[in-house]
């Protein structure tokens, strides 16, 4: 029952739930980014699992072309390679934006950032901002 | 309210995924295209590493897309960071100590060699352009960590970036105009397992390695040159 | 000749890679060369359209069979490929701010070219993971363009871009997960091959995969639960970028969802879900647009509502749904970018728009034209679009959807009328005259010309669209061509 694939599947599920949970529940921009990295790791692990085969070797021919042993599926591994690189690019870009948001607004709290953004939009359009009482939480730096 | 709905969503998500354990063929995948690639991959591409055969042969266009994503991220990152104050000589952090500086100098050639080795042997062993490219980027970024006041030459970087990307597309276009299909593997496939085999695949990986290295090094350097005084 | 279609994404990518180097030599050269290349590619697509009336497939790298990536080029793909080049040329960032460095300008041009390349790839590709890669490229390029801001980057553009990035990245995780679940069960990624094996996906796990893919690709398509980024991003970015994202990029994401729906998920459950999300999108979009206090926000919400209509239309099974969906999507593709161009100078509060019709009568007249078409006044294409949609729905006896579409048309009329009446109302203290830029007026005029051409030639265009829809729902020929090998 508890074969390695099930354990890995549970791990991927856990990473996904932790990551997505962190993204929707966290209020701190940098933590959201870290949670995104975790969720991406979970999705990547899930993708690798899609080609995982018990007791098969890596898809590299080492001995001879004629006698190919049982190998895992190479396609998901190639896809994960692609997905990881995409993830790195997106995270680096998000990091640059975090730096700039911090420079512009002096805070990384999502609510405060959103409030200040709405304020700027309202200023641009000469509108009074809808003053909703948003309690600013100061538990995060 | 927001928290409650988030938890509800997460619970449902967890439930969905745990239900799937029973449905999905864990550890025993159907491997339809995987099997086809294992059977024909070597004869069609000449690469001993089948992942490379997929990355550069069967799904070469994904790799091109991925390179473009890195380029887009670096370009957008440059756009975002361009407006800020750059580090000046005065505001830069102090140099790291003797040990770090010496180690960085010692490591630089080793990292370059290791990176290039991994790039060039991508079609034979685990590794390839991305992995090697990251090591190359580390090699060029390391001196910046040891001596924050030095800056990277962005002109050279963008030249390497541009031309390695263009080389990838260029090899693809040669395939298109000479043989009728974009990114068609060219040149003789050679003997499987030797360094000079697999036709154009090692050349493509070299382009990937240079591009990834230049891209990541440029991104890191850009982040590093940010003036962190007002942060 | 036909294999040259791969140039539609290869050449813009090549240009984007080389642009930084070119602009170091001469910025003027790089500013000129990029639109010229796009123009050449647009002409090439028209030639291929004329010379190859039959659908054809291209095997990238000559790897025939499902293990390679296949480009499936039918009329629909060619139509979108042409729309990409034409629309990007119309919405090209011609204007730069004075204090921008040439590096920043080059980066903007590069990102636009990457957006074009990704869009072209998305319209052609017949492989689900390849579609995901192009979708991500599209996403990253659009993050950069939004972060570049309206006039100059500011806190709001970074914040809007970041929030957009987070939602989009979450969507990408879902899309990747959906692809993983599909691969788990079928072991293939090729859409035609998946379509052959769609019975394997007719189970809970397969449907969960569809939901994940819908959520993932739905982010760009402004699908109901994942569209909170839309008003912020369009407020913060330049209106040309907003028009491009609302008009073009959203349609390409819709195209991916439709490919999955037609080829892999013909089940009723999938269509019901799409119908439900579409209705929710229309209701939320139209009511929020009515509440909006400024024109950009109003247009953003109305764009969400229009895409809801697109999803409702595509939820009708068979050719009728494809035809109605294509009509709604193409109508929105033409009218929304034009409306954003018109809004370029009228960004402020709706109260400030009083009497603006006097200072720019052309734009006000164009706005009336597009608004009338959006509402669906008879000679204009918008009427035929709504007619196709409603007749398709009534054939399905989807009375709820019909009621929603009709009621929301009233809401739409209400807020569009409010804008137009305030444009034409008399206002004494009219002093600020912010004229529209020539290129904006020019592009809007061209789009209006297309709209009028369609309403004059509605017979011909309808027939052509009918043929395209017929081809697009022909699953059997898709499978035969993609897997048949003959290239």
């Amino acid at each position: 029952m508890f074969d390695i694939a099930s354990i890995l599947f549970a791990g991927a599920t856990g990473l996904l739930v932790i990551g997505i949970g962190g993204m929707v529940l966290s209020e701190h921009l940098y933590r959201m980014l870290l949670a995104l990295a975790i969720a991406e790791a979970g999705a990547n692990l899930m993708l690798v699992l899609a080609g995982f085969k018990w007791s098969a070797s890596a898809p590299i021919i080492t001995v001879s072309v004629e006698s190919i042993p049982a190998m895992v599926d190479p396609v998901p591994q190639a896809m994960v390679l692609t997905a990881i690189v995409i993830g790195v690019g997106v995270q680096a870009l998000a990091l640059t934006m975090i730096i700039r948001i911090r420079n512009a607004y002096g805070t990384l709290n999502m609510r405060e950032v959103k409030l200040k953004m709405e304020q700027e939009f309202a200023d641009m359009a000469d509108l009074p901002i809808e003053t909703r009482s948003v309690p600013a939480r100061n538990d995060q730096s | 309210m927001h928290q409650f709905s988030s938890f509800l969503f997460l619970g449902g998500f967890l439930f969905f995924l745990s239900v799937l354990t029973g449905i999905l063929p864990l550890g025993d995948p159907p491997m339809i295209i995987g099997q086809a690639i294992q059977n024909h991959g070597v004869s069609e591409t000449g690469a001993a590493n089948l992942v490379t055969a997929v990355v550069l042969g069967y799904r070469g266009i994904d790799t091109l897309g991925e390179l473009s994503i890195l380029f887009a991220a670096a370009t957008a990152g440059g756009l975002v960071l361009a407006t800020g104050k750059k580090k000046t000589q005065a505001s830069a952090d102090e140099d790291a100590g003797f040990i770090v500086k010496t180690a960085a100098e010692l490591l630089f050639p080793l990292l370059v060699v290791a990176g290039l080795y991994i790039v060039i042997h991508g079609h034979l062993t685990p590794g390839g352009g991305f992995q090697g490219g990251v090591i190359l980027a580390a090699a060029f970024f390391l001196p910046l960590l040891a001596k924050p006041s030095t800056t990277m030459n962005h002109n050279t970087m963008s030249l390497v970036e541009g031309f390695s990307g263009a080389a990838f597309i260029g090899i693809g276009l040669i395939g298109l105009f000479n043989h009728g299909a974009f990114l068609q593997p060219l040149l003789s496939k050679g003997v499987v397992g030797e360094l000079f085999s697999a036709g154009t695949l090692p050349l493509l990986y070299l382009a990937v390695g240079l591009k990834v290295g230049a891209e990541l090094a440029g991104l890191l350097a850009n982040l590093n040159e940010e003036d962190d005084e007002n942060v | 000749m036909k294999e040259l279609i791969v140039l539609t994404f290869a050449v813009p990518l090549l240009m984007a890679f080389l642009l930084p180097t070119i602009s170091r030599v001469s910025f003027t050269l790089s500013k000129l060369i990029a639109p010229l290349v796009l123009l050449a590619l647009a002409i090439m697509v028209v030639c291929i359209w004329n010379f190859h009336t039959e659908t054809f497939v291209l095997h990238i790298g000559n790897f025939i069979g499902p293990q390679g990536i296949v480009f499936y080029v039918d009329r629909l793909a060619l139509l979108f490929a042409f729309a990409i080049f034409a629309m990007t040329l119309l919405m090209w960032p011609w204007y730069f701010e004075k204090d921008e460095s040439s590096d920043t300008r080059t980066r903007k041009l590069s990102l636009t070219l990457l957006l074009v390349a990704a869009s072209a790839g998305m319209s052609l590709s017949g492989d689900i993971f390849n579609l995901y890669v192009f979708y991500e490229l599209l996403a990253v390029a659009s993050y950069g363009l939004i972060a570049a801001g309206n006039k100059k980057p500011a806190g709001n553009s970074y914040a809007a871009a970041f929030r957009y990035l987070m939602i989009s990245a979450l969507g990408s995780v879902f899309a990747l997960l959906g692809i993983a679940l599909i691969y788990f069960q079928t072991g293939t990624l090729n859409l035609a091959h998946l379509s052959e094996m769609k019975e394997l996906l007719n189970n809970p796990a397969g449907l969960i995969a569809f939901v994940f893919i819908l959520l993932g690709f739905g982010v760009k398509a402004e699908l109901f639960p994942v569209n909170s980024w839309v008003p912020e991003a369009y407020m913060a970015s330049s209106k040309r970028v907003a028009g491009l994202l609302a008009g073009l990029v959203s349609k390409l994401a819709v195209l991916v969802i439709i490919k999955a729906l037609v080829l892999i998920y013909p089940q009723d459950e999938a269509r019901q879900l799409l119908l439900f999300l579409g209705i929710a999108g229309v209701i939320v979009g139209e009511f929020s647009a009515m509440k909006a206090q400024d024109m950009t926000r109003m247009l953003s919400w109305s764009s969400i509502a229009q895409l809801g209509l697109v999803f409702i239309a595509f939820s009708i099974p068979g050719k009728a749904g494809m035809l109605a969906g294509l009509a709604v999507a193409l109508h929105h593709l033409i009218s929304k970018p034009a409306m954003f161009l018109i809004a370029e100078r009228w960004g402020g509060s709706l109260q400030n728009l009083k009497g603006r019709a006097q200072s720019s009568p052309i734009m006000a007249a164009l706005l009336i034209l597009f608004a009338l078409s959006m509402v669906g006044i008879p000679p204009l294409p918008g009427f035929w679009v709504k007619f196709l949609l409603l007749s398709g729905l009534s054939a399905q006896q989807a009375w709820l959807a019909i009621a929603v579409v009709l009621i929301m048309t009233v809401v739409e009329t209400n807020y569009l009328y409010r804008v137009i009446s305030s444009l034409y109302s008399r206002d004494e203290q009219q002093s600020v005259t912010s004229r529209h830029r020539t290129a904006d007026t020019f592009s809007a005029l061209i789009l209006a010309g297309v709209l009028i051409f369609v309403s004059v030639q509605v017979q011909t265009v309808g027939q052509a669209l009918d043929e395209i829809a017929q081809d697009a729902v022909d699953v059997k020929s898709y499978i035969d061509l993609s897997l048949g090998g003959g290239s």
Side-chain angles (χ1 to χ4, degrees), chain B residues 30 59 61-62 155 182 184, chain C residues 9 24 61-62 127 129-130 184:
Chain B
R59 311 192 66 86
I61 206 162
D62 279 356
N155 282 357
F182 188 65
Q184 167 138 357
Chain C
F9 75 89
R24 262 176 228 293
N62 247 345
D127 184 284
F129 190 74
N130 191 230
F184 253 120

Side-chain angles (χ1 to χ4, degrees), chain B residues 39-204:
Chain B
N39 293 342
H40 308 295
V42 177
S43 59
E44 283 182 353
T45 63
N49 182 349
L50 285 175
V51 178
T52 302
V54 177
V55 167
L56 294 177
Y58 295 99
R59 311 192 66 86
I61 206 162
D62 279 356
T63 307
L64 179 56
E66 175 186 1
L67 282 182
S68 322
I69 290 171
L70 260 188
F71 176 74
T75 311
L79 191 67
V80 169
L81 292 179
T83 50
K85 261 198 304 180
K86 289 281 166 247
K87 250 181 206 167
T88 51
Q89 208 74 15
S91 70
D93 302 335
E94 278 179 29
D95 286 4
F98 170 76
I99 295 176
V100 174
K101 271 194 290 188
T102 317
E105 276 166 21
L106 278 176
L107 273 176
F108 177 77
L110 294 178
L111 282 174
V112 170
V113 170
L116 283 176
Y117 178 89
I118 289 178
V119 170
I120 292 169
H121 287 74
H123 58 299
L124 304 174
T125 54
F130 293 103
Q131 297 86 332
V134 172
I135 296 178
L136 284 179
F140 285 96
F141 183 60
L142 206 57
L144 259 68
L145 278 184
K147 273 190 191 169
S149 53
T150 53
T151 50
M152 207 173 267
N153 188 344
H154 284 281
N155 282 357
T156 327
M157 281 295 165
S158 79
L159 213 66
V160 173
E161 240 174 73
F163 280 96
S164 50
F168 194 104
I169 299 180
I171 292 172
L173 288 179
I174 293 172
L176 174 68
F177 289 119
N178 285 350
H179 302 273
F182 188 65
L183 280 175
Q184 167 138 357
L186 307 167
L187 305 180
S188 97
K189 302 209 167 56
V191 182
V192 176
E194 286 185 4
L195 182 56
F196 293 103
S197 65
T200 39
L201 261 54
L203 291 178
L204 288 178

Side-chain angles (χ1 to χ4, degrees), chain B residues 9 13 16-17 20 23-27 29-34 36-37 40 44-45 53 56-62 64-69 71-76 78-83 154-155 158-159 161-163 165-167 169-170 173 176-177 179-185 211 222, chain C residues 3-4 6-7 9-11 13-14 16-18 20-21 24 58-63 66-69 71 101 103-108 110-111 114 127-130 133-134 136-137 140-141 143-145 147-148 153 158 174 177 181 183-189 193 197 203-205 208 212 215:
Chain B
F9 167 75
F13 184 68
F16 265 150
L17 285 180
L20 290 179
I23 303 174
L24 296 176
L26 285 176
M31 275 187 70
I32 298 196
I33 54 176
I37 287 171
H40 308 295
E44 283 182 353
T45 63
L56 294 177
Y58 295 99
R59 311 192 66 86
I61 206 162
D62 279 356
L64 179 56
E66 175 186 1
L67 282 182
S68 322
I69 290 171
F71 176 74
T75 311
L79 191 67
V80 169
L81 292 179
T83 50
H154 284 281
N155 282 357
S158 79
L159 213 66
E161 240 174 73
F163 280 96
I169 299 180
L173 288 179
L176 174 68
F177 289 119
H179 302 273
F182 188 65
L183 280 175
Q184 167 138 357
K211 188 155 175 70
N222 253 336
Chain C
E3 60 269 7
L4 289 184
V6 297
L7 293 185
F9 75 89
V11 171
L13 277 186
L14 191 65
F17 288 161
L18 291 180
T21 314
R24 262 176 228 293
L58 287 180
H59 299 274
I60 300 297
N62 247 345
F63 293 107
Q67 61 266 42
I69 287 175
F71 274 18
S101 67
D103 265 2
T104 304
R105 295 174 182 186
T106 312
R107 285 182 175 127
K108 278 188 191 170
S110 278
L111 286 175
L114 289 169
D127 184 284
I128 195 157
F129 190 74
N130 191 230
V133 172
F134 279 126
E136 281 293 302
L137 177 57
V140 175
Y143 305 151
L145 287 173
Y158 300 130
F174 276 119
L177 200 54
L181 291 183
Y183 195 83
F184 253 120
Q185 297 179 74
T186 60
T188 187
L189 297 163
H193 204 201
M197 296 194 281
N203 57 15
I208 291 174
F212 285 165
L215 279 179

Side-chain angles (χ1 to χ4, degrees), chain C residues 286-353:
Chain C
E286 296 288 23
F287 278 114
S288 307
M290 198 172 74
K291 275 198 331 202
Q293 299 290 314
D294 64 85
M295 194 147 161
T296 312
R297 212 177 278 254
M298 190 188 86
L299 288 178
S300 316
W301 284 112
S302 126
S303 163
I304 289 175
Q306 294 277 315
L307 278 150
L309 283 185
V310 173
F311 285 115
I312 293 179
F314 277 119
S315 74
I316 305 167
K319 200 192 93 181
M322 182 57 81
L323 181 59
L326 278 181
V328 182
L330 290 174
H331 179 247
H332 185 239
L333 174 69
I334 292 168
S335 54
K336 191 62 67 182
M339 293 181 96
F340 270 111
L341 284 177
I342 294 169
E344 169 79 51
R345 283 286 181 246
W346 295 343
S349 146
L350 289 179
Q351 305 296 322
N352 295 353
L353 288 183

Side-chain angles (χ1 to χ4, degrees), chain C residues 226-299:
Chain C
V226 280
N227 56 14
S228 62
W229 60 273
V230 173
E232 302 166 6
Y234 294 176
M235 284 292 281
S237 62
S238 114
K239 297 301 157 282
R240 286 184 166 251
V241 171
L244 211 52
L245 288 182
L248 189 67
V249 170
S250 62
K251 300 306 168 304
L252 291 162
V254 170
L255 193 66
V256 175
I257 293 174
I258 296 316
K259 276 182 186 168
L261 191 73
V262 169
L263 293 170
I264 314 175
Y265 292 100
Q267 292 98 319
D268 278 342
E269 290 92 334
R271 290 181 184 282
Q272 292 287 328
L273 180 69
L274 210 60
L275 180 68
F276 171 72
L277 292 178
I279 288 178
V282 172
I283 294 177
V284 172
E286 296 288 23
F287 278 114
S288 307
M290 198 172 74
K291 275 198 331 202
Q293 299 290 314
D294 64 85
M295 194 147 161
T296 312
R297 212 177 278 254
M298 190 188 86
L299 288 178

